[in-house]
């Protein structure tokens, strides 16, 4: 096979495919962020607040250094039910903690006394109040995802225009199969 393959449209395709991936990453990231923000806002506005009676962090090995994988909390409801749940955490708060499951170091993000907010109808849906406040106050992250969507979408449109112009230059008429009578298609 020859090293000089003449494939018209190769340039716009090399632009369009990564741009499409970029736009999709933006869409998925914005959807995930919106879900987190909605949950944080819901729990701050209508959730039941309490203080954790026990907190355990699961520190696991990472590529460069250990990180917190799970934050396991235990708390009491006003009715006296003991609830054990895992927090949805995003913050990297290891501060030199060793690997394994153990209580967080004093003065760290998840150290006692840890304020929690949970759904009254489903106490297993619980967030640390500090996380919920950060998620609802974050205005930079959605801008980044919207920028990825806009930039990726714009580059996809540019690639489509370049592909269309190249196809017309090569004599490939658009909608030719639709304009001709059945059975007269050129392949």
């Amino acid at each position: 096979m020859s090293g000089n393959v003449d494939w018209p449209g190769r340039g716009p395709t090399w632009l369009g495919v990564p741009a499409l991936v970029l736009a999709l990453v933006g869409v998925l990231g914005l959807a995930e962020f919106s879900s987190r923000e909605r949950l944080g806002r819901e729990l701050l506005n209508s959730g039941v607040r309490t203080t954790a009676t026990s907190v355990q962090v699961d520190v696991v090995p990472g590529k460069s250094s250990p990180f917190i994988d799970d934050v396991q909390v235990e708390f009491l409801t006003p009715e006296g039910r003991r609830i054990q749940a895992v927090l949805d955490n995003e913050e990297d708060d290891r501060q030199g903690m060793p690997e394994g499951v153990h209580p967080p170091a004093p003065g760290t993000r998840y150290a006692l006394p840890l304020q929690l907010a949970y759904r009254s109808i489903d106490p297993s849906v619980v967030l640390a109040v500090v996380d919920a406040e950060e998620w609802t106050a974050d205005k930079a992250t959605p801008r980044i995802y919207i920028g990825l969507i806009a930039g990726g979408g714009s580059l996809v449109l540019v690639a489509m225009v370049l592909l269309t112009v190249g196809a017309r230059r090569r004599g490939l008429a658009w909608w030719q199969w639709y304009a001709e009578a059945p059975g007269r298609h050129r392949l």
Side-chain angles (χ1 to χ4, degrees):
M1 181 160 188
S2 161
N4 294 329
V5 176
D6 185 23
W7 179 38
R10 178 176 41 202
T13 301
W14 281 103
L15 172 68
V17 171
L20 183 60
V21 169
L22 191 68
L24 289 175
V25 165
V27 167
L28 294 174
L30 187 60
E32 189 267 339
F33 174 81
S34 297
S35 170
R36 283 180 181 259
E37 182 190 29
R38 213 176 7 251
L39 176 63
R41 194 170 309 285
E42 172 196 343
L43 292 178
L44 286 175
N45 293 337
S46 61
V48 178
R49 293 199 184 199
T50 188
T51 302
T53 56
S54 169
V55 180
Q56 297 287 317
V57 293
D58 184 11
V59 180
V60 297
K63 285 187 177 182
S64 62
S65 61
F67 66 94
I68 293 178
D69 187 35
D70 285 332
V71 179
Q72 303 159 1
V73 296
E74 189 175 291
F75 59 94
L76 294 172
T77 65
E79 300 84 33
R81 286 180 43 209
R82 184 170 300 278
I83 305 292
Q84 293 180 342
V86 175
L87 294 181
D88 187 9
N89 69 312
E90 183 177 300
E91 195 64 30
D92 187 12
D93 186 31
R94 59 182 167 258
Q95 294 186 0
M97 288 190 273
E99 294 175 14
V101 177
H102 48 81
T108 59
R109 181 182 197 88
Y110 298 113
L112 289 175
L114 179 62
Q115 296 296 311
L116 305 172
Y118 66 92
R119 283 186 184 153
S120 58
I121 57 172
D122 184 8
S124 66
V125 178
V126 61
L127 283 178
V129 170
V130 67
D131 288 340
E133 288 171 345
E134 280 188 11
W135 292 353
T136 57
D138 186 5
K139 302 298 180 216
T141 302
R143 289 184 188 139
I144 292 169
Y145 289 132
I146 290 169
L148 289 174
I149 295 167
S154 298
L155 289 174
V156 166
L157 289 176
V158 167
M160 288 175 57
V161 166
L162 292 173
L163 283 169
T164 303
V165 168
R168 286 183 177 256
R169 232 183 280 137
R170 290 187 312 273
L172 301 174
W174 282 86
W175 300 100
Q176 188 172 13
W177 61 272
Y178 184 75
E180 291 181 358
R184 294 188 193 179
H185 303 313
R186 279 192 297 159
L187 298 177

